[in-house]
Every structure is written in C-alpha cells, then in structure tokens.
Amino acid sequence: QVQLVESGGGLVQPGGSLRLSCTASGTIFSIYAMGWYRQAPGKQRELVARIGISGTTVYADSVKGRFTISRDNAKNTVYLQMNSLKPEDTAVYYCNKEPMPFASWGQGTQVTVSS
C-alpha cells in the first residue's frame, strides 16, 4: 500500500521561505510524475507544481517564479522550496502522483503565512 508522508510546514511571515518534503513508500517512486497540491479552507484542492520522471517541471501561475519542485529518487522524496511566501499561500500541502493521484493521500503539512 502506498504511503505518502509530508513534512516541513509551519508558520512564516510574508516574504519568508519554507521547504516541504514528501517521502513515498510502498511504490516504485521513480516511475511516476509527482505533484504538490494544496487546499485552502473552503476551497478545492489544486495542483501547484509537477515534476516529471525526467525532471521536467510545471507550475501554476500563482506560484511561478517563487516555488521550485525537485525530487530525489534514491530517497523516494519530492521537495517543494517555497520563497517569497504570501498570505494566499496559506493551505494544507499534499504530494501525490500526477496525473491520476493514488487513492491514498497523506496527512498533508500545514503552511500558514501571516504576520
């Protein structure tokens, strides 16, 4: 069974940075494109960044130039470096396969951007 464990969230002031990590187990991580998603209160979950098998990246317009997704296949881990954070980045962040996410999601990691 696939297990996804996200970490690295926290409370940060506007303009600050955080680095999120997501470690996968129970699957062959390296054969999947992976994505970082987020869900803010009262809103639908949205994809913010995607990294392909070869390392090709795609970003939502709202985070382009501020967020960087990367992966370490040897560690079964995908990262999200978030810089110049804004209050509207406040959400629970999740990782999962993209497209066609695994049915089982992790618990997510809360990111709160506030002064």
Side-chain angles (χ1 to χ4, degrees):
Q1 183 176 352
V2 175
Q3 186 174 17
L4 301 166
V5 180
E6 300 92 350
S7 62
L11 173 63
V12 64
Q13 292 187 341
S17 298
L18 285 172
R19 189 191 193 208
L20 307 184
S21 299
C22 170
T23 301
S25 60
T27 186
I28 306 173
F29 176 81
S30 61
I31 68 172
Y32 299 118
M34 295 294 292
W36 278 100
Y37 304 75
R38 69 185 180 189
Q39 187 166 20
K43 295 187 177 182
Q44 287 191 331
R45 189 174 292 166
E46 62 172 343
L47 178 68
V48 296
R50 178 188 189 272
I51 185 164
I53 298 169
S54 61
T56 303
T57 57
V58 178
Y59 299 93
D61 287 344
S62 59
V63 307
K64 201 172 293 183
R66 300 188 297 121
F67 289 11
T68 303
I69 188 171
S70 60
R71 65 191 298 164
D72 185 337
N73 289 337
K75 296 181 178 179
N76 279 9
T77 300
V78 60
Y79 304 97
L80 187 67
Q81 177 67 44
M82 306 187 297
N83 299 327
S84 303
L85 282 161
K86 304 176 180 180
E88 51 263 43
D89 295 319
T90 295
V92 179
Y93 284 72
Y94 304 86
C95 75
N96 209 322
K97 186 163 66 73
E98 205 291 318
M100 298 177 64
F102 296 117
S104 176
W105 292 77
Q107 83 289 349
T109 186
Q110 174 71 49
V111 172
T112 303
V113 185
S114 175
S115 55

